Amino acid sequence: QVQPVESGGGLVQPGGSLRLSCAASGRTFSSYSVGWFRQAPGKEREFVAAISWSGGSTEYGDSVKGRFTISRDNAKNTVYLQMNSLRPEDTAVYYCAAKPFWRDRTYNYWGQGTQVTVSS
């Protein structure tokens, strides 16, 4: 079992950048596929990006392609989400989640979320 913990959220101006981190204790976190999701007030949760345990496979939601990059450092048990060219519509609570296998559709473990606000 793993417990993801997100950090790095905050207030940023449009066009700016932020890097979110998702860390988890336990040696097994490095063997999990990890995804980032977001939820804005009054909206459904949206898939942002995902990465396989090795980092060899990644995927992105259409709204963030070309602007966000997911990566991981398994030595540090941490997954990152680099967010560039941020827009007001990127404002949301961002969640990190983990699942045992890349092909699984369900994420078993979720963090508490970190707020990202894009505003001038």
Side-chain angles (χ1 to χ4, degrees):
Q1 186 170 349
V2 297
Q3 180 56 60
V5 178
E6 305 92 340
S7 62
L11 174 65
V12 63
Q13 292 187 342
S17 298
L18 275 178
R19 188 178 77 161
L20 305 183
S21 298
C22 173
S25 59
R27 294 175 295 174
T28 59
F29 186 64
S30 60
S31 68
Y32 281 72
S33 295
V34 175
W36 285 96
F37 296 79
R38 67 186 183 186
Q39 189 165 20
K43 295 187 176 181
E44 293 187 352
R45 187 171 63 197
E46 176 187 12
F47 169 75
V48 175
I51 189 167
S52 61
W53 73 271
S54 66
S57 296
T58 59
E59 58 182 15
Y60 296 90
D62 289 341
S63 61
V64 307
K65 283 180 182 177
R67 299 188 298 123
F68 291 10
T69 302
I70 190 169
S71 62
R72 68 189 303 161
D73 184 341
N74 284 341
K76 296 182 178 180
N77 272 355
T78 303
V79 172
Y80 304 99
L81 184 68
Q82 178 67 43
M83 305 186 295
N84 298 330
S85 302
L86 283 162
R87 305 166 180 169
E89 53 264 39
D90 294 317
T91 296
V93 177
Y94 283 71
Y95 298 91
C96 172
K99 58 182 180 179
F101 302 105
W102 179 247
R103 64 180 181 275
D104 289 346
R105 300 187 65 178
T106 301
Y107 285 81
N108 304 83
Y109 306 106
W110 290 81
Q112 294 299 307
T114 185
Q115 176 71 46
V116 172
T117 302
V118 184
S119 175
S120 54

